[in-house]
Amino acid sequence: MPDGGTLPLVRLSALKRHFDVSPPWLVRALEGKPRQIVQAVDGIDIEIAKGETFSLVGESGCGKSTVARLVVGLYPPTAGKIEFDGNDMSQSRGRAEMAALRRRMQMIFQDPFASLNPRWRVFDIVAEPIRAFGLAKDAADLEQRVGDLLRQVRLTPADGRKFPHEFSGGQRQRISIARALASQPEFLVCDEPTSALDVSVQAQILNLMMDLQRRFGLTYLFISHNLAVVFHISTRVGVMYLGRLVEVAPTDTLFRRPKHPYTRMLLDTIPDLDMTGRQRAPVAGEVPSPIDPPTGCAFHPRCPFANERCSRERPKPVESEGGTVACHAIEEGRLPVEERSYAVRG
Amino acid sequence: MNAPAAPLLQVRNLRVEFPTRRGTLLAVDDVSFDIAPGEVLGVVGESGAGKSLTGNAIIGLLEPPGRIAAGQVLLEGERIDNLPYERMRRIRGAKIGAIFQDPLTSLNPLYTVGRQIVETIQTHLPLSAQAARERALDLLKQVGIPAAEQRIDHYPHQFSGGMRQRVVIALALCAGPRLIVADEPTTALDVSIQAQIIALLKRLCREHGTAVMLVTHDMGVIAETADRVAVMYAGRIAEIGPVRDVIKSAAHPYTRGLMGSIPSMGVRSARLVQIDGAMPRLTEIPRGCAFNARCTEAGERCFRERPELMAAGATRAACWRHDTGGVGAVRTKEAAHA
C-alpha cells in the first residue's frame, strides 16, 4: 500500500494464532469432548513505522507475547500476514534470502536467567549471531566487534571471558541486548525485558535501550504489562484484551484521553506514588478464558458501559484521534471522553 | 506491656546467617523494628536485600542452613524466635498468619480448599466440624469468593490466580491472628487483580484490627497500603519512617534513588533517574556504608564507618549526612578509583 507516505517497517494484517489445547484424541472420543482451541491472537492489525517504539500492553493471557513470537517467526501464524519492510514473511524463499531478512530483526526475552546458555562464555554468546550471519572478516574483527558491543551496553570487553552466572540480573539483560544488537538489526522485539528486574536496574536498562535507539535508529516492538514503563518509552501504544486490539493511540493521547473502557480500567490500576489519596479503583471480575471468549466484545462482561449490542456484535476498530478504538459505546457516542490530569509531557 | 500502644511485634537486632563452605554469609544484619497492633508496616527493597528472610525469620520458617544468629523476636512481649518447632507451629496460624507470593504452591492441590480451611481452623480453634465449615464458608465470603457455597468444595486448580490468593488470605485469617506476614502477596497477579487483593487486605485488617508486615519490592503497593515503611539494602534497614515522608522526602540517598527510578506518571522525560551499579553481593559488602560505592553524596567517612539508623527529619535513616559529624571529605568517583 504505497500511499505516498513512508512504508511501515512492520505490518501485521488480520494476524491470528490459535493453539490446540485439546486432550488426546482417545480421551476426547471416550468423554465425548470437543476440541479446545485457544485463540491467543485473534485477528490484529498493527503498523510499526521506522524508528518508533510501539508498545503492546495487556494483562497476562491477552496474547501480547504471542504477537512478539509471531513477529520474529518463533510461531507460524494460523492466518494473516506479517510484512517486514515490504517482504511477506510467510513467502517461501531461499535460505540465504531468509537469513538476510532474519538478521534485521532480533528479540530480547523476559528472563535473563533462562535466555543465556549457562555453559557458554559471554564472548561466545554475543559472537554467535556474528558468526551465524558471517559478519566478521576474521578472528580479530570478531573480537573487536564483540568488545564494542559489550562496551555499548556498559560492560567491558574483559567480561567476555566470564560465564552468565557471574553476572547480576541487570547485567545479564545487558548481555542479551548486546547479543540482540550483534547482527546490526533494525527492529528489536522486546518481550517484557525489565519485568524480571528490580526497579533501580529497570531504569538503567530502559535508559540504555532509549540511548541505543537514538544512536542506531532502532525500531522497537515493546511488550509490557507495566503501564508506567510503557508511558515513558513508547511512541504509540496498543492495548490488547483476549487476543484482540481494543485501542491503539499515540502515547500522550492514550494516557491523557483514554477511550476504551478497558484502557481506562488499566489506567485506574496504576499505583499512585504521589500519594494524592486517589484510590485505585478495583475492577470487578477477571480476564475470561481465551478458550471460550465471551461473544461480541470480549470485554463486555466486565464493562460498566456494556449493553445488549456489546454482547452480540464484535466491535470493529474505528479511527479516533490518530489511533483506533474498538468499542460500540465510543462509536455510538454513549461514552464521553474523559481527560486525565496526569500524563503531561515534561 | 501495660500501655495500649505497646508494640505487637518487636524485632531486636536480628541477624540471619547462612553458613557456607566459603565462610558465613550475613543476610540480615542487625535489623530492629516494631509493629503496633493494627499497623501495616511495609518492608521494601531490591531482591537480595534480606526482606523476605526477615519475614521468614519472624514466622520461624527460615530454610536451613539459614539460621537466626543473634537478636530477638517478641510477639506481645514474649520471645518467639527460640521456641521449639511444635510450639512455634501452634503460634503460626493462631497468632501469626502468613501469605506467600505464589498462591498455587501455598495450597495443597490434592484437597479441596474447604477441607484445607476447615483443617486449619480445627488445628487452632476448638470448633466442631460443622461449626468449622460454617466459619470457612464465612471466611470465603469475606474474601469475596463468589458462590462460596459451591466453591468451598472445589480444588485449588479450579480457581484463577486472584481467587487462589483470596483463598490463601482466608487461610491466613482462619484463627483470627494478630499479625499477618505477607511476602509479595500481589507480585504474581495482574494489575487489575492486584488492586482487588490490596483493597481486600486493607479492608480485612481494618475490620479485624490485624497488623500486617507487608514485604514487597513494589513501592506502589506500599504507598497505597502501609502506614510506615522500612527500606532495606544489603541486609540492613537503610531508612524507616511514615510512608508519606519516606516517599515524599526521603532522607537516605538510596531511598531517593529508588523512588526516582520508578517511572512516574507525572512527567515524561527522555531519561529515567537511575542508580548506577548494583547491590553488592553478600560476600562483597564494603566497609563502612554498604551503599557507598553507588552513592553520589558519599564522603570519606562513609567508606570507613558504618552508619546506624539516626533521626533524619521525619524518618530515621542510616546515613552519615544526618549526623553532626557529616560525611567527611567528599570522595569523588575519580578519587575513589585512583
Side-chain angles (χ1 to χ4, degrees):
Chain A
M1 196 173 55
D3 49 13
T6 47
L7 206 67
L9 184 66
V10 178
R11 181 191 284 153
L12 316 178
S13 339
L15 191 64
K16 286 189 185 186
R17 171 70 206 193
H18 296 174
F19 293 100
D20 189 343
V21 293
S22 316
W25 171 83
L26 189 60
V27 177
R28 278 207 317 272
L30 289 175
E31 297 182 351
K33 283 189 177 159
R35 277 189 173 275
Q36 289 195 313
I37 308 289
V38 174
Q39 301 172 357
V41 177
D42 196 22
I44 63 166
D45 301 274
I46 298 176
E47 288 188 358
I48 306 174
K50 227 180 178 71
E52 79 169 340
T53 301
F54 186 91
S55 292
L56 273 182
V57 294
E59 297 178 272
S60 42
C62 73
K64 53 192 193 302
S65 290
T66 308
V67 173
R69 289 170 166 264
L70 284 168
V71 169
V72 292
L74 288 174
Y75 293 143
T78 307
K81 203 158 77 165
I82 303 165
E83 286 168 276
F84 179 74
D85 205 9
N87 303 287
D88 184 349
M89 295 304 284
S90 62
Q91 250 169 41
S92 57
R93 36 172 83 76
R95 199 182 155 77
E97 206 183 332
M98 204 64 195
L101 276 176
R102 287 258 177 267
R103 181 193 67 72
R104 297 166 60 191
M105 55 170 92
Q106 290 293 327
M107 183 156 177
I108 300 168
F109 295 89
Q110 172 171 3
D111 186 354
F113 293 83
S115 59
L116 302 174
N117 189 331
R119 287 163 180 266
W120 282 24
R121 288 182 198 275
V122 168
F123 181 91
D124 294 310
I125 292 173
V126 177
E128 191 187 17
I130 304 178
R131 288 184 174 130
F133 292 113
L135 300 174
K137 289 195 291 289
D138 49 39
D141 185 30
L142 181 69
E143 197 155 327
Q144 174 73 32
R145 280 171 186 252
V146 173
D148 286 346
L149 285 162
L150 288 174
R151 264 195 296 271
Q152 273 162 13
V153 297
R154 321 265 190 280
L155 294 170
T156 61
D159 286 328
R161 284 192 295 277
K162 296 184 188 163
F163 286 98
H165 74 261
E166 297 175 68
F167 294 90
S168 67
Q171 288 171 320
R172 284 185 216 204
Q173 205 55 305
R174 288 167 194 273
I175 297 169
S176 304
I177 295 175
R179 174 178 62 183
L181 291 176
S183 69
Q184 297 166 320
E186 296 147 51
F187 178 53
L188 280 187
V189 176
C190 317
D191 188 4
E192 305 254 15
T194 61
S195 54
L197 306 176
D198 283 311
V199 273
S200 72
V201 181
Q202 165 175 289
Q204 293 173 10
I205 297 294
L206 293 175
N207 282 337
L208 174 68
M209 288 179 59
M210 291 192 276
D211 289 345
L212 293 170
Q213 180 171 41
R214 276 190 286 271
R215 205 157 138 203
F216 299 111
L218 297 168
T219 307
Y220 288 141
L221 170 61
F222 193 89
I223 313 288
S224 182
H225 68 275
N226 186 333
L227 285 155
V229 166
V230 164
F231 173 64
H232 275 268
I233 70 150
S234 322
T235 323
R236 286 190 306 138
V237 182
V239 181
M240 278 189 81
Y241 189 75
L242 276 182
R244 300 169 194 176
L245 269 175
V246 296
E247 181 165 0
V248 180
T251 308
D252 277 339
T253 316
L254 187 98
F255 283 84
R256 205 181 300 140
R257 285 186 298 282
K259 307 221 166 39
H260 198 282
Y262 181 63
T263 314
R264 297 180 192 201
M265 187 207 95
L266 276 185
L267 292 183
D268 284 336
T269 61
I270 300 175
D272 174 22
L273 268 180
D274 291 328
M275 310 210 53
T276 50
R278 176 175 66 88
Q279 285 294 313
R280 266 210 261 185
V283 201
E286 306 189 1
V287 185
S289 156
I291 293 179
D292 186 19
T295 53
C297 171
F299 188 59
H300 85 260
R302 300 172 81 187
C303 182
F305 311 103
N307 64 10
E308 182 270 330
R309 185 184 175 199
C310 300
S311 59
R312 182 166 40 83
E313 186 186 329
R314 179 169 168 176
K316 292 193 173 55
V318 229
E319 293 285 325
S320 163
E321 263 198 284
T324 58
V325 189
C327 175
H328 291 312
I330 291 286
E331 204 183 328
E332 294 164 10
R334 278 191 280 130
L335 185 55
V337 172
E338 71 184 273
E339 291 270 342
R340 303 268 166 151
S341 56
Y342 51 75
V344 279
R345 193 183 272 277
Chain B
M1 294 302 293
N2 39 16
L8 174 70
L9 179 83
Q10 292 167 283
V11 178
R12 293 276 162 271
N13 308 98
L14 183 71
R15 277 165 77 100
V16 175
E17 286 181 351
F18 281 83
T20 68
R21 265 178 297 171
R22 292 187 210 153
T24 305
L25 293 180
L26 196 55
V28 176
D29 182 10
D30 205 14
V31 163
S32 303
F33 60 85
D34 292 346
I35 300 181
E39 182 185 44
V40 179
L41 176 78
V43 178
V44 70
E46 299 179 60
S47 38
K51 52 190 195 306
S52 290
L53 284 174
T54 307
N56 288 352
I58 290 169
I59 54 178
L61 286 180
L62 274 179
E63 295 258 338
R67 58 188 167 90
I68 297 179
Q72 300 187 344
V73 180
L74 295 95
L75 184 73
E76 296 176 314
E78 285 175 45
R79 274 188 77 170
I80 57 166
D81 57 286
N82 55 358
L83 294 179
Y85 182 82
E86 197 49 35
R87 283 206 39 210
M88 190 60 207
R89 196 175 73 85
R90 304 216 72 92
I91 288 181
R92 203 164 46 227
K95 289 187 172 173
I96 308 181
I99 301 170
F100 297 103
Q101 174 169 350
D102 183 356
L104 190 54
T105 50
S106 320
L107 295 170
N108 189 329
L110 298 178
Y111 296 129
T112 63
V113 299
R115 179 164 169 190
Q116 296 182 52
I117 299 175
V118 166
E119 184 189 331
T120 314
I121 293 172
Q122 288 195 304
T123 307
H124 297 290
L125 300 175
L127 289 180
S128 69
Q130 185 57 36
R133 189 176 160 92
E134 270 164 32
R135 187 178 163 83
L137 204 55
D138 181 49
L139 282 164
L140 287 177
K141 281 178 191 158
Q142 278 188 43
V143 297
I145 305 256
E149 287 83 2
Q150 285 103 57
R151 297 294 262 165
I152 190 166
D153 293 319
H154 285 181
Y155 290 88
H157 76 265
Q158 293 169 292
F159 290 79
S160 67
M163 285 297 151
R164 268 184 221 134
Q165 197 62 300
R166 287 170 193 267
V167 172
V168 172
I169 292 175
L171 263 176
L173 289 171
C174 273
R178 305 292 317 280
L179 173 72
I180 288 180
V181 176
D183 190 353
E184 306 269 10
T186 58
T187 306
L189 307 174
D190 274 318
V191 278
S192 67
I193 311 299
Q194 253 181 34
Q196 292 174 8
I197 295 293
I198 287 172
L200 172 71
L201 210 55
K202 269 168 90 171
R203 177 173 63 79
L204 291 173
C205 292
R206 213 173 34 239
E207 284 171 6
H208 296 253
T210 314
V212 181
M213 174 175 164
L214 179 65
V215 177
T216 179
H217 70 278
D218 188 340
M219 214 55 191
V221 171
I222 297 271
E224 286 175 313
T225 322
D227 302 308
R228 284 191 307 139
V229 55
V231 181
M232 287 193 72
Y233 186 79
R236 295 169 67 91
I237 294 183
E239 182 162 4
I240 184 166
V243 67
R244 176 173 281 271
D245 297 299
V246 171
I247 288 181
K248 288 275 192 190
S249 52
H252 198 287
Y254 172 64
T255 319
R256 276 206 302 272
L258 190 67
M259 293 309 305
S261 57
I262 301 169
S264 90
M265 296 304 300
V267 183
R268 193 160 152 211
S269 53
R271 283 186 79 76
L272 297 164
V273 178
Q274 66 176 51
I275 315 178
D276 288 325
M279 194 166 66
R281 291 179 185 209
L282 290 178
T283 47
E284 296 159 359
I285 292 184
R287 224 162 81 95
C289 173
F291 187 60
N292 58 22
R294 302 171 75 187
C295 185
T296 49
E297 299 161 47
E300 163 273 332
R301 190 179 181 188
C302 305
F303 292 85
R304 198 160 33 83
E305 278 180 79
R306 167 167 286 186
E308 298 295 330
L309 283 174
M310 57 189 90
T315 70
R316 291 169 63 75
C319 177
W320 288 125
R321 289 176 62 255
H322 302 282
D323 185 58
T324 42
V327 293
V330 172
R331 222 161 98 162
T332 59
K333 263 198 184 144
E334 293 72 42
H337 283 296

